Amino acid sequence: MLALSGNVIAKQNNNENLEHIIVTGSRVIENIDEVPASVTVITREQIEAQLKVNPELQNLLQMMVPGMAPSTNSSSNTGQTLRGRAPLVMIDGVPQSTPLRNGSLGIRTLDPSVIERIEVIKGATSVYGNGAAGGVINYITKKPTTADDFSAELDVSTRFSAVKADETLGARIEGSVSGRANKFSYLATISYEENGVQRDAEGDILGLQYGLSDVQTHNYFTKLGYDFDADKALAFTYNYYKSQQKTDLGDVFGNVNSGDKSYAIHVPPAQQKQGRPQGPSGNTNAMLKYTDNAIFAHTALTLDLYAQDIENVFFFSPNLANPDEGYDGGQSIIASQKQGLRATLNTLIDFDNTEATFIYGIDALQDTTSQPLVDGREWVPEMDMSNLAGFFQSKWVMFDDYVIKAGVRHEDIDLEVDDYRTLKLCRNAQQCSVAFEVRGDTLNYTATTYNVGLKYNAYEQFSPFFSYSQGADISDIGRLLRSATVDDIALIRTEAALIDNYEVGFTSVLDSLRIEASLYRSTSDLGTTNRFDEATGVYMPVRAPQEIWGYEALVDYRFHPAWRATATYSYVEGKNTAEDIYLGGKQISPPKATVNLQWQATDDAALTLSTLYVGSRKRFTANDAGEYVGDQGPIDDYFVMNLSGNWQFNSSANAYFGIENLLNRDYYPARAQAYTYGGYNIKGLGTTITAGIHYQF
C-alpha cells in the first residue's frame, strides 16, 4: 500500500484508534495537520504489506515516498536520493548515515520487523544537524505493549525465483515478545534471514557489486522501559544489525556502453571475491531516553543519550591497486563511532484564540569516522568531529486554522584531522594517482540556519502551505581528503554547503478523494559531484553551486468500500549552475510514478496490485570515443508490477504471499543505466515469490 501523508492518515487513524502523530519535523509529538511541509508517514500496516513483496527497505521507500529515487536493488543506496540530495537516515532520532564519509549504506541499517512507522520529512533541514541535505528518514521503532500482560509473535517465510529456482531458496524467521509488569515494560525481537542467489528475468545470477545473493542478516533488538509516575519515564533501546555476503560466486563484468550486463557465476576459490565478506559487520546502537512531561509549568523535557558503532565493509576492488607496493586491489571499511546527547524542552502556552509551542534545547555530538583498507593502508584518515548546537523553534496555531512555524539553529563544529598521506592508486600501469603528504589541522565551521512555514487549515477542500528551510552540510569530507592534490588540508575545499529549500503545496479532501501536490526548489552555494581524471584514473570531487527543482503529486481515491487506488508522480531535475550543466544520476533520478490498487475481497482476504514506472532521462552526450562516463549514462524507461495478498485464518494466524516483477520484465534499474563505473550494470530481479505464515499469541 502506498504511503498516505498529512490529514488522511490522521483521519483514518482516528477511526481506528491508532497514532496519527509525527515527531521528526520538530523533535516533539505534534499533529501532522500542523506541519507546513511535505511529510510521508509509512504505518506499520503499510510496512507489513510491502514486506510481502520484498524485505528490503530501499524497495519500500521507492514505492511509498514521492520524491525518493528508485531503489538500487542492492545493499547500497548510492543514487537513491531524496529530491536530488542525500537524506539523513535515523533510528529514533539517532543518525545512521555517516556524513563525514558517506558510503550510502544508511537506509539498510536495521530489520523492518522492529519498525513501528517511518517518517519522511522532505527538503533540507538542520533540525537534527549535519547530513540532512535532502531531508530526514526516521525509523521509529516499536514500543512494548501498554497492557499488563504478555504477548508474542512469530513469522516464518521463504523466498525464491520463479524464473529459475535452482539455488534461490531463501528463508526468514522473526520472533518477538512483549509485556508489562506494573511500572516495567519490555520488548525483544530477533530476526534471521538467509538469501539464496538472486536471478534476473533471464535466469542469470545478479552481479555481486553490493549484491544480495547469499546474504545472511541478523538483527537483535530490545527496548526496556520504566515509568516512575504518570509524567516521568526512562527507556533503554539496543539494536544490533549484521548483514554480510558469504558466497562462492564470482563476477563476470559487462559494460554499460557495450550493453553487456554484469552477472555472477560459480568460480574456483582463486577467482572468488577476496577479503572479508561485504556488508555491515555488526553495527550497534544504544540509546537511553528520559522524559518528564512536567519538568516545570507547561514544559516537558526529553533527554537522549546515545552511542553507536558502525563498521561497513565494502567489496574488494582492483581500482585500489598499487603494483609498486605489491597490492593488486583493496577492500575498504567505513568505521564510525558516535556519542551524543540531545536535550529538548517543549513549552505550551495558550493565549486568546492562539496556542503557542516553543521547542528549544542543545545537541552535542562526537563523531569519529575513517575509511581504512583491510590490508592496513589508510585511505581516508581519521576525522574527529565535535559538534555543539543550540536551537529554538516556535509554532503558533491561531483560530484553529492558521499555523505559523519559525525557528533558528546555530551550529559550531570542530573537525580535527592529523597529518596523513594520500594513497597511490592505479587502475592500470598508465593510470595512477599521485600520493601527497598532507598537513592536518583543526577546521572550524559555524552556521546559523533559519526556517519558516505557513499553513492554512480552514477548508478541507484546499489547505495550502509554504515553507522555507535551510540546512548546513559538511558531508563527505572524507572523499575530499582522500583525493587531495595539495599538501595542506587548509587548501582543500572543505567548506560547508548552505542549502536553501523553498516549497509550496496544498492538500485537498473531497469526500473519498484526496489530492496532494507540491513544488520545490533548493539551491546550494557548494555541492559535491565527481569528474573522471583520465590521467590518474581517479574520480575527482567537484565543488560547485547547484540548483535542484521539481514537483510531486499524490491522488488517493476510495471508489468502493472494498476498493482503493493510490497514485503518485514525482519529477526532479538539477544543474551545476556555475557551468550550466545537468547533474548526473548519482543525484538526479528520472521521473517516477506509482499506482497501487487494493481489493479487500472479504473480511479475511485481500489483494494488492502495485506498479512502479520509471521514466527516461537522457541529458548527456557520449565522449569522443562514443562512450558515456561517470554517472552520465542515458536512462531508458521501465515498469515493474507486483502482486501480494493475505488470508486471515483467525484472530491469531494469517498466511501471505507476494510476487515481485509479476510479468518478469527484463530491465536495468535506473542506477544500473546511469552509472558507467565497473560492475554496476546489473539487471533487476526477475519474477520472485515470497510466501509466509504469521502467528500471534
Side-chain angles (χ1 to χ4, degrees):
M1 176 179 176
L2 290 177
L4 304 177
S5 58
N7 301 338
V8 71
I9 290 179
K11 293 181 182 353
Q12 290 175 330
N13 289 353
N14 276 335
N15 295 332
E16 300 172 14
N17 195 30
L18 297 173
E19 285 187 313
H20 59 274
I21 56 175
I22 65 165
V23 297
T24 303
S26 298
R27 301 168 51 124
V28 299
I29 295 172
E30 62 179 338
N31 193 309
I32 198 170
D33 290 350
E34 298 174 359
V35 181
S38 287
V39 180
T40 297
V41 177
I42 306 173
T43 67
R44 181 62 204 169
E45 290 74 18
Q46 294 167 324
I47 294 170
E48 290 174 351
Q50 177 62 25
L51 294 183
K52 294 180 178 68
V53 174
N54 189 298
E56 299 298 331
L57 288 168
Q58 300 99 310
N59 290 64
L60 181 150
L61 292 169
Q62 81 165 349
M63 293 299 297
M64 294 184 159
V65 182
M68 194 79 190
S71 169
T72 62
N73 200 34
S74 71
S75 63
S76 168
N77 51 273
T78 176
Q80 193 173 18
T81 55
L82 182 59
R83 290 185 170 180
R85 300 189 186 275
L88 179 65
V89 181
M90 303 186 297
I91 298 177
D92 292 331
V94 176
Q96 302 303 299
S97 307
T98 54
L100 294 179
R101 175 70 275 274
N102 187 1
S104 299
L105 296 171
I107 287 180
R108 193 173 181 270
T109 194
L110 83 170
D111 192 84
S113 63
V114 307
I115 301 175
E116 179 62 33
R117 66 181 184 274
I118 303 173
E119 304 167 358
V120 182
I121 306 294
K122 303 169 194 174
T125 177
S126 60
V127 170
Y128 277 97
N130 183 47
V136 172
I137 300 172
N138 197 7
Y139 299 135
I140 307 299
T141 58
K142 291 181 177 179
K143 297 178 181 178
T145 179
T146 58
D148 289 330
D149 58 9
F150 169 85
S151 65
E153 295 183 42
L154 179 67
D155 191 287
V156 179
S157 62
T158 186
R159 184 171 165 83
F160 57 91
S161 170
V163 182
K164 184 179 179 182
D166 294 356
E167 304 177 89
T168 65
L169 187 66
R172 173 183 172 85
I173 183 170
E174 64 184 66
S176 67
V177 295
S178 180
R180 175 176 289 272
N182 297 321
K183 295 182 178 183
F184 177 73
S185 61
Y186 61 91
L187 169 67
T189 296
I190 297 177
S191 64
Y192 175 76
E193 183 175 0
E194 185 170 332
N195 289 348
V197 302
Q198 297 193 332
R199 298 186 183 274
D200 62 23
E202 297 176 315
D204 292 321
I205 301 173
L206 302 187
L208 302 182
Q209 198 95 306
Y210 298 108
L212 295 172
S213 290
D214 295 333
V215 166
Q216 298 176 13
T217 302
H218 309 251
N219 199 101
Y220 311 117
F221 173 84
T222 187
K223 183 175 288 188
L224 307 175
Y226 186 81
D227 298 331
F228 297 100
D229 55 37
D231 293 318
K232 302 179 184 66
L234 186 67
F236 172 75
T237 302
Y238 176 83
N239 190 74
Y240 174 90
Y241 181 77
K242 180 178 181 179
S243 182
Q244 295 194 295
Q245 185 178 62
K246 300 178 181 179
T247 183
D248 63 351
L249 298 170
D251 278 311
V252 177
F253 291 112
N255 185 283
V256 169
N257 288 290
S258 65
D260 298 321
K261 70 181 179 183
S262 292
Y263 59 98
I265 58 174
H266 291 283
V267 295
Q271 299 176 30
Q272 294 170 14
K273 287 283 186 181
Q274 301 180 42
R276 294 171 54 183
Q278 67 175 356
S281 64
N283 297 346
T284 60
N285 286 273
M287 183 167 69
L288 190 65
K289 178 188 288 287
Y290 174 75
T291 56
D292 187 339
N293 293 325
I295 187 71
F296 51 83
H298 310 293
T299 300
L301 168 69
T302 301
L303 288 176
D304 292 313
L305 180 67
Y306 61 89
Q308 179 192 83
D309 192 347
I310 287 178
E311 187 175 88
N312 289 321
V313 182
F314 290 83
F315 52 85
F316 185 90
S317 172
N319 293 335
L320 298 176
N322 184 352
D324 292 344
E325 297 182 10
Y327 299 109
D328 60 356
Q331 186 178 22
S332 72
I333 303 170
I334 289 183
S336 178
Q337 295 82 39
K338 301 186 184 80
Q339 299 86 38
L341 172 68
R342 295 198 307 262
T344 304
L345 291 159
N346 176 28
T347 300
L348 300 175
I349 300 177
D350 282 333
F351 303 101
D352 291 338
N353 299 313
T354 300
E355 181 184 276
T357 305
F358 303 100
I359 306 161
Y360 46 100
I362 59 171
D363 291 343
L365 171 65
Q366 187 74 32
D367 183 347
T368 303
T369 299
S370 62
Q371 189 176 15
L373 300 186
V374 170
D375 55 38
R377 287 179 288 170
E378 182 184 75
W379 195 14
V380 175
E382 187 172 277
M383 298 167 286
D384 196 348
M385 183 184 77
S386 299
N387 186 345
L388 184 64
F391 61 90
F392 178 84
Q393 186 80 30
S394 66
K395 179 175 70 176
W396 306 79
V397 181
M398 297 178 290
F399 300 98
D400 294 327
D401 297 328
Y402 299 88
V403 180
I404 301 175
K405 270 192 171 185
V408 60
R409 179 185 177 98
H410 180 75
E411 206 97 30
D412 196 329
I413 300 174
D414 288 326
L415 183 68
E416 181 180 352
V417 180
D418 292 336
D419 297 348
Y420 71 99
R421 178 180 175 84
T422 64
L423 289 182
K424 177 183 178 181
L425 301 176
C426 301
R427 286 177 176 264
N428 53 57
Q430 289 74 41
Q431 284 186 319
C432 291
S433 63
V434 179
F436 277 85
E437 297 285 350
V438 182
R439 185 167 67 87
D441 201 350
T442 298
L443 306 175
N444 179 260
Y445 306 88
T446 59
T448 302
T449 54
Y450 304 90
N451 67 82
V452 63
L454 308 171
K455 192 171 186 184
Y456 183 57
N457 287 328
Y459 305 102
E460 281 192 335
Q461 296 84 351
F462 184 71
S463 179
F465 70 87
F466 165 79
S467 69
Y468 166 73
S469 59
Q470 291 183 305
D473 187 29
I474 62 165
S475 62
D476 226 352
I477 296 297
R479 179 177 287 274
L480 301 174
L481 298 183
R482 79 185 191 191
S483 304
T485 57
V486 293
D487 59 5
D488 192 329
I489 190 175
L491 301 176
I492 303 173
R493 297 204 68 186
T494 60
E495 303 100 308
L498 185 65
I499 301 164
D500 293 295
N501 188 81
Y502 307 85
E503 182 176 10
V504 61
F506 72 91
T507 59
S508 293
V509 179
L510 305 167
D511 295 326
S512 300
L513 174 67
R514 175 180 178 80
I515 302 172
E516 295 182 8
S518 62
L519 299 167
Y520 61 88
R521 173 178 174 266
S522 76
T523 62
S524 57
D525 48 357
L526 280 178
T528 302
T529 55
N530 298 318
R531 183 170 295 163
F532 186 67
D533 187 322
E534 293 283 355
T536 64
V538 174
Y539 284 91
M540 300 298 295
V542 177
R543 304 299 306 274
Q546 296 178 351
E547 180 178 2
I548 296 175
W549 64 93
Y551 55 88
E552 300 166 4
L554 177 148
V555 177
D556 181 80
Y557 183 47
R558 185 178 291 278
F559 52 90
H560 184 275
W563 290 88
R564 180 177 189 171
T566 308
T568 72
Y569 182 81
S570 51
Y571 173 89
V572 60
E573 192 52 270
K575 278 189 172 184
N576 171 337
T577 54
E579 301 181 34
D580 193 30
I581 57 175
Y582 286 100
L583 300 175
K586 187 174 183 179
Q587 281 188 258
I588 306 301
S589 63
K592 185 189 76 172
T594 62
V595 177
N596 193 80
L597 183 64
Q598 288 180 284
W599 179 35
Q600 189 68 44
T602 69
D603 290 341
D604 299 321
L607 287 174
T608 300
L609 183 68
S610 60
T611 300
L612 168 72
Y613 172 77
V614 176
S616 62
R617 184 174 187 257
K618 302 177 181 181
R619 295 294 192 184
F620 307 99
T621 57
N623 60 20
D624 293 340
E627 296 184 341
Y628 294 91
V629 297
D631 59 350
Q632 298 182 354
I635 300 174
D636 291 319
D637 65 334
Y638 60 90
F639 80 92
V640 181
M641 186 175 292
N642 306 321
L643 178 67
S644 65
N646 67 278
W647 175 269
Q648 192 76 36
F649 295 114
N650 51 49
S651 60
S652 299
N654 72 283
Y656 59 86
F657 77 92
I659 305 175
E660 185 172 3
N661 195 357
L662 178 66
L663 303 180
N664 199 36
R665 301 286 297 182
D666 188 17
Y667 72 99
Y668 287 98
R671 187 187 70 178
Q673 299 184 62
Y675 279 26
T676 65
Y677 318 116
Y680 280 93
N681 59 323
I682 301 167
K683 287 193 172 182
L685 271 175
T687 301
T688 303
I689 297 175
T690 299
I693 296 176
H694 182 86
Y695 188 76
Q696 184 172 351
F697 51 93

